[in-house]
């Protein structure tokens, strides 16, 4: 009799646990969120997660790309400006040795070129006048070179297509 | 004012072909008569420039009156020579080329020697012109700029200024016949007038003749002044010729070049293809050459105080060449002689005669 009662009690306990688990499974624990909520917002969650991951990765990639572009453009600009500075310095040196070596008109153009070089906002790549000043510099240089009948040209940084012609 | 395709009442002139000059091996782009020849026993001299990269000098033989090629200026330009112009003294010839240079040639006996090369334009130079005193030279090109050069002793040329303002290819530059005023015409449909501020090399655009001035609606190809310099005519891809006049007082010495130009008259309904060239003779006859292989001549009819001057076509000659007429130029001393140049590689000399 006791064994029957005991096995009945076990079965009942098991059955009650089962019911409790089932009830929790079907209706959820009232103390926490409805478990189906997370499946309804699944798409949104995945989107947000993807976006955030992309954003973080993009920040890193973008910074690297910006750095590369800045370095390339900065080098090209610096090289061109340096070339013009070099020319102006040579011309000034020549004028110091012989003040009459160049005509007054050419001297005026050289002075204007020096002023443009001083004015170039080297630390402000976002300055709206930057392209204008560079265009004026290039034109001034061509005018002076033409008036001196000199065949010098600033060829710019060698493009990759011309890379094969560089020898060491 | 519009002259709408009506044949003028005095269309009683004709152009008689005097001679056809052969020699160039590609299209002939431009012509220039030597300004000090053709009078007082000096035989007329004509220069022509071509896509064959050469310039030819033609002279009229005193005895026979026929034209012969006296010299070929070659091995200098490496591309088409697009325009040529004699200095007012007739001693130098400037040639503008697609190779981005302008060469200056000097007549040494029977030969021509290249004494200077002007570089500066970034690409094709389209036109070159000397000012009336021969002290300045202007060039223009596809790089949208106009360069002004000063002529210095020893065949030195110094760039005075680079004029930027046109937004497209500049087709032609022309100096005013008596004052240092420069006109440029462009693919951007406008005509620009440039003048110097004082003597400071400070050239700037004093006027732009575009839409707001009843300007052309397509590429302006050429411009020409009348002999007194108070009027100019322009021709365009819009199939019209436009006459402009100025309020400038040209008689006052040291003329202030700030007088403005205004539209006087538009001649439309004549040519039905692009008009590439126009030239105003000493006698007041305007010649136009176009893509329809035709030359037309116009003359001003006495002005009506109310309506102002108007122009009538006095002659139309079709099929003057088998292809586009690129240039028409009146003889500087004999106002009835006209030269024409074409894509067909030939140059023709014409004589204007009244139909008897």
């Amino acid at each position: 009799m006791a064994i029957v009662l005991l096995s009945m009690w076990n079965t009942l306990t098991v059955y009650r646990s089962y019911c409790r688990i089932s009830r929790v499974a079907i209706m959820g624990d009232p103390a926490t969120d409805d478990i189906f909520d997370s499946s309804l917002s699944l798409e949104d969650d995945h989107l947000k997660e993807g976006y955030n991951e992309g954003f973080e990765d993009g920040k890193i990639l973008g910074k690297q790309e910006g750095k590369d572009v800045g370095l390339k453009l900065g080098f090209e600009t610096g090289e061109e400006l340096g070339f013009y500075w070099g020319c102006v310095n040579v011309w000034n040196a020549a004028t110091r040795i012989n003040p009459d070596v160049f005509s007054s008109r050419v001297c005026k153009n050289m002075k204007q070129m020096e002023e443009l070089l001083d004015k170039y906002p080297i630390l402000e790549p976002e300055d709206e006048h930057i392209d204008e000043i560079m265009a004026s510099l290039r034109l001034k240089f061509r005018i002076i070179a033409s008036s001196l009948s000199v065949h010098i040209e600033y060829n710019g940084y060698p493009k990759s297509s011309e890379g094969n012609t560089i020898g060491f | 004012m519009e002259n709408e395709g009506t044949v003028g009442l005095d269309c009683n002139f004709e152009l008689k072909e005097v001679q056809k000059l052969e020699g160039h091996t590609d299209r002939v782009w431009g012509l220039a008569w030597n300004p000090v020849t053709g009078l007082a026993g000096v035989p007329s001299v004509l220069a022509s420039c071509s896509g064959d990269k050469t310039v030819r000098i033609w002279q009229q033989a005193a005895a026979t009156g026929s034209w012969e090629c006296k010299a070929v200026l070659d091995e200098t330009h490496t591309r088409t020579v697009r325009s040529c112009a004699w200095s007012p003294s007739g001693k130098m010839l400037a040639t503008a080329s697609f190779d981005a240079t302008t060469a200056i040639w000097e007549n040494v006996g029977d030969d021509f020697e290249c004494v200077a090369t002007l570089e500066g334009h970034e690409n094709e130079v389209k036109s070159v012109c000397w000012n009336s005193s021969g002290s300045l030279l202007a060039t223009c090109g596809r790089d949208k700029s106009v360069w002004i050069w000063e002529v210095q002793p020893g065949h030195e040329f110094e760039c005075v200024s680079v004029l930027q303002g046109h937004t497209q290819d500049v087709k032609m530059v022309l100096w005013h016949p008596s004052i240092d005023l420069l006109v440029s015409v462009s693919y951007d449909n406008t005509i620009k007038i440039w003048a110097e501020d004082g003597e400071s090399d400070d050239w700037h655009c004093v006027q732009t003749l575009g839409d707001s001035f009843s300007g052309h609606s397509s590429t302006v190809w050429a411009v020409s002044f009348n002999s007194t310099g108070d009027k100019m005519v322009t021709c365009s891809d819009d199939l019209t010729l436009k006459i402009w006049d100025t309020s400038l007082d040209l008689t006052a010495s040291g003329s202030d070049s700030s007088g403005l130009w205004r539209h006087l008259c538009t001649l439309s309904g004549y040519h039905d293809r692009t008009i590439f060239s126009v030239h105003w003779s000493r006698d007041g006859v305007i010649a136009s050459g176009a893509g329809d292989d035709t030359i037309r001549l116009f003359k001003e009819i006495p002005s009506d105080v109310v309506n102002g001057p108007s122009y009538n076509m006095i002659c139309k000659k079709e099929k003057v060449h088998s292809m586009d007429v690129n240039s028409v130029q009146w003889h500087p001393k004999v106002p009835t002689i006209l030269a024409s140049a074409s894509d067909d590689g030939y140059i023709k000399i014409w004589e204007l005669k009244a139909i008897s």
Side-chain angles (χ1 to χ4, degrees), chain B residues 39 53 73 104 119 150 155 172 175 195 253 257 259 261 296 314-315 328 330-331:
Chain B
L39 201 65
K53 308 174 197 165
L73 279 48
I104 310 293
E119 294 182 3
E150 186 182 65
H155 305 128
M172 180 171 171
W175 287 99
S253 59
S257 7
W261 290 82
R296 287 174 196 260
I314 62 166
C315 175
V328 286
W330 292 102
H331 191 293

Side-chain angles (χ1 to χ4, degrees), chain A residues 6-7 12 16 19 33 35 64 66 71 88 93 95 107 113 117 123 132 148-149 151 154-155 165:
Chain A
L6 195 59
S7 65
L12 198 61
R16 279 177 67 198
C19 283
D33 290 2
I35 54 154
Q64 186 56 49
L71 186 65
V88 164
T95 308
C107 283
M113 188 159 164
L117 282 167
L123 294 173
E132 209 179 286
L148 299 179
S149 303
H151 292 278
Y154 176 66
N155 294 317
T165 62

Side-chain angles (χ1 to χ4, degrees), chain A residues 104-114 140 143-144 147, chain B residues 159-160 201:
Chain A
S104 60
R105 178 180 284 132
V106 169
C107 283
K108 192 172 89 174
N109 277 319
M110 287 171 177
K111 189 112 201 4
Q112 286 170 347
M113 188 159 164
E114 200 174 336
K140 270 277 170 273
I143 292 173
I144 297 169
S147 296
Chain B
C159 174
V160 169
D201 285 357

